[in-house]
Amino acid sequence: MKKRIAVLPGDGIGKEVAKGAIEVLQAVGERFGHQFYFQYGMIGGEAIDTLGTPLPDETIELCKQSDAVLLGAVGGPKWEKKPAHLRSEQGLLRIRKELGLYANVRPTSYYPSLADASPLRKEVIEGVEMVMVRELSGGIYFGKPSERIQKNGEDGVVDTLYYQRAEIERVVRLAFELAVERKGKVTSIDKANVLESSRMWREVAEVISKDYPDVELEHMLVDNAAMQMIKNPKQFDVVVTENMFGDILSDEASVLTGSLGMLPSASLSERGPYLYEPIHGSAPDIKGKGSANPIAMILSAAMMLRQSFGMNEEADAIEQAVNQVLDAGYRTKDIMTFGKKLVTTDEMVGEIKATLMDNEAIMYIMSAYA
Ligand SMILES: NC(=O)C1=CN([C@@H]2O[C@H](COP(=O)(O)OP(=O)(O)OC[C@H]3O[C@@H](n4cnc5c(N)ncnc54)[C@H](O)[C@@H]3O)[C@@H](O)[C@H]2O)C=CC1
Ligand SMILES: CC(C)CC(=O)C(=O)O
Ligand SMILES: [Mg+2]
């Protein structure tokens, strides 16, 4: 199969982990006989420095012309204090809007070999299999006005949380569709005891649930949810929530796997192309140190193969290789524990690639003897 993939490495460790994912995809292409064409686009701080905007038109065009988009991460202290139109994160928000990416699907799985990398007890996290569906192109990150204001002679500030009913409906429906294929439970997380937007969210969830009689719907307030996620994460199957709540809760959920560097994501739209990115940011604190964990990015590439290209076997092969490498004890610094083998970003990528290719050799030998 031939596929065009737009690659937006972005800033900081975004570049380091994107490079690793491309190498793994090249290995997959070699093993399974696919041709992946990678075309690079600028986004975030790098784009501001080079072209004066966090999202150049060429990047938008490139993404729209591609079969899928892979994104590293954007941001860094250099651009933090700039006016809004020159902040790196604006590039990310805008590409989500331009591509109509309304749902960000963030799976969180338990890795037996990483049980000791999580600060949580093994009994609490063992068997966790949850997927968070975060609304991605509306809510408080997009509402206008969002600005400093003067009111009654005082300095003030306003952000706006706005949703059209239809925006809530489509993301909640997607969560129910996922639940049908999974354990049949949707937890809708909101702040309905305070926010009117959450009361509409709850109403919509109730209406949509009528189309899915075999799926259990539960509502949970976000403050309680933050606590339940750590205390009893096994109760969750599919979680659906507003943009900012989902942003925060999914970083929290990463603790269940051992590290933020383990969680991939798929951002879905009505028409495609879809975008795949790790849930973490550009991690300026470890940039250039060779300690970034590339697994979240590599697993995002696996999600792309499965979701956008229907390449299930290929995605399974990546996930299997990642598991084998973790089982063999290879660890980047964020998941390092006593007695394991500490490796750099590039070495981790190298181990995953080598395992992918070794597995092919083993399958070839086995088929020869079958
Ligand atoms: N999708 C994106 O592009 C995102 C961008 N950001 C931006 O990234 C910048 C840094 O934000 P932070 O709040 O520090 O969040 P962050 O996610 O970049 O890092 C948080 C902590 O996790 C660690 N970490 C993150 N990814 C890791 C990995 N793959 N391997 C090992 N350790 C990892 C970092 O070293 C840091 O200690 C900011 O400019 C922020 O706006 C933040 C989140 C998402
Ligand atoms: C610009 C932010 C909304 C990025 C972020 O934290 C995320 O998407 O997880
Ligand atoms: Mg985030």
Side-chain angles (χ1 to χ4, degrees):
M1 239 189 243
K2 291 183 184 174
K3 292 291 172 192
R4 288 183 62 177
I5 302 168
V7 184
L8 318 183
D11 307 311
I13 67 162
K15 287 193 196 313
E16 301 165 26
V17 297
K19 174 175 164 278
I22 302 308
E23 285 179 27
V24 170
L25 284 171
Q26 277 162 339
V28 168
E30 210 176 299
R31 174 168 159 189
F32 290 89
H34 300 303
Q35 285 167 301
F36 297 129
Y37 298 102
F38 301 103
Q39 289 174 296
Y40 288 79
M42 279 195 227
I43 191 168
E46 183 192 35
I48 295 172
D49 289 352
T50 318
L51 299 165
T53 167
L55 187 66
D57 290 343
E58 303 89 289
T59 300
I60 302 173
E61 225 17 66
L62 169 69
C63 293
K64 288 185 175 168
Q65 304 295 325
S66 300
D67 297 308
V69 183
L70 276 182
L71 187 140
V74 300
K78 184 174 176 192
W79 306 282
E80 241 163 47
K81 297 213 169 93
K82 295 270 171 70
H85 70 284
L86 290 179
R87 278 205 295 272
S88 37
E89 289 74 10
Q90 290 303 315
L92 181 61
L93 295 179
R94 199 167 146 224
I95 193 70
R96 290 172 178 170
K97 202 71 171 175
E98 291 284 345
L99 298 179
L101 303 167
Y102 70 89
N104 184 226
V105 178
R106 299 183 155 189
T108 303
S109 307
Y110 170 68
Y111 291 88
S113 57
L114 289 188
D116 58 349
S118 173
L120 299 170
R121 287 199 320 276
K122 188 175 170 200
E123 310 86 86
V124 173
I125 54 177
E126 197 168 28
V128 163
E129 269 300 336
M130 149 170 70
V131 61
M132 180 116 27
V133 180
R134 162 188 172 192
E135 201 291 325
L136 198 64
S137 55
I140 199 159
Y141 291 169
F142 288 91
K144 295 277 179 289
S146 170
E147 63 197 16
R148 302 292 171 101
I149 51 165
Q150 286 279 320
K151 206 169 171 185
N152 306 327
E154 297 279 348
D155 250 3
V157 64
V158 58
D159 283 307
T160 303
L161 202 175
Y162 172 75
Y163 273 117
Q164 286 176 0
R165 185 179 285 272
E167 289 177 313
I168 305 174
E169 281 168 356
R170 63 182 177 180
V171 72
V172 171
R173 189 168 290 285
L174 190 131
F176 273 90
E177 289 291 330
L178 282 175
V180 168
E181 303 295 320
R182 296 171 54 95
K183 286 178 260 167
K185 181 175 175 189
V186 169
T187 307
S188 173
I189 295 178
D190 60 41
K191 190 71 185 170
N193 51 346
V194 181
L195 299 175
E196 199 51 42
S197 53
S198 284
R199 280 197 280 276
M200 181 185 270
W201 187 283
R202 218 171 247 225
E203 230 172 83
V204 167
E206 287 291 338
V207 173
I208 302 274
S209 78
K210 300 216 167 22
D211 293 340
Y212 300 87
D214 297 331
V215 176
E216 178 196 346
L217 168 65
E218 163 188 65
H219 301 284
M220 196 178 282
L221 296 174
V222 64
D223 39 0
N224 179 30
M227 186 271 289
Q228 296 290 342
M229 207 144 279
I230 296 296
K231 190 175 173 219
N232 178 19
K234 281 182 242 178
Q235 69 186 286
F236 297 108
D237 175 20
V238 179
V239 163
V240 62
T241 192
E242 187 267 341
N243 199 340
M244 184 168 74
F245 294 159
D247 188 6
I248 297 168
L249 289 174
S250 50
D251 268 34
E252 187 189 1
S254 75
V255 176
L256 309 171
T257 65
S259 169
L260 193 53
M262 292 296 298
L263 253 62
S265 85
S267 298
L268 310 179
S269 63
E270 272 153 19
R271 287 177 306 277
Y274 300 156
L275 180 149
Y276 300 85
E277 58 171 323
I279 81 155
H280 62 73
S282 61
D285 55 336
I286 57 166
K287 174 187 166 194
K289 294 190 175 158
S291 63
N293 186 344
I295 293 180
M297 182 83 236
I298 290 169
L299 293 177
S300 302
M303 286 183 89
M304 172 187 78
L305 295 180
R306 188 176 285 118
Q307 182 85 37
S308 284
F309 306 159
M311 296 180 182
N312 296 335
E313 203 188 329
E314 293 81 341
D316 289 347
I318 294 181
E319 288 163 0
Q320 194 190 342
V322 166
N323 279 321
Q324 282 175 254
V325 167
L326 293 174
D327 289 345
Y330 294 99
R331 300 280 189 274
T332 42
K333 199 173 166 195
D334 55 316
I335 48 174
M336 181 63 189
T337 51
F338 182 73
K340 305 295 183 198
K341 299 166 213 163
L342 182 64
V343 291
T344 63
T345 309
D346 291 348
E347 286 165 349
M348 179 62 97
V349 171
E351 290 300 331
I352 293 170
K353 274 189 333 191
T355 307
L356 253 172
M357 297 321 257
D358 278 358
N359 286 348
E360 179 193 38
I362 291 164
M363 279 167 64
Y364 181 76
I365 292 165
M366 278 165 60
S367 66
Y369 283 96

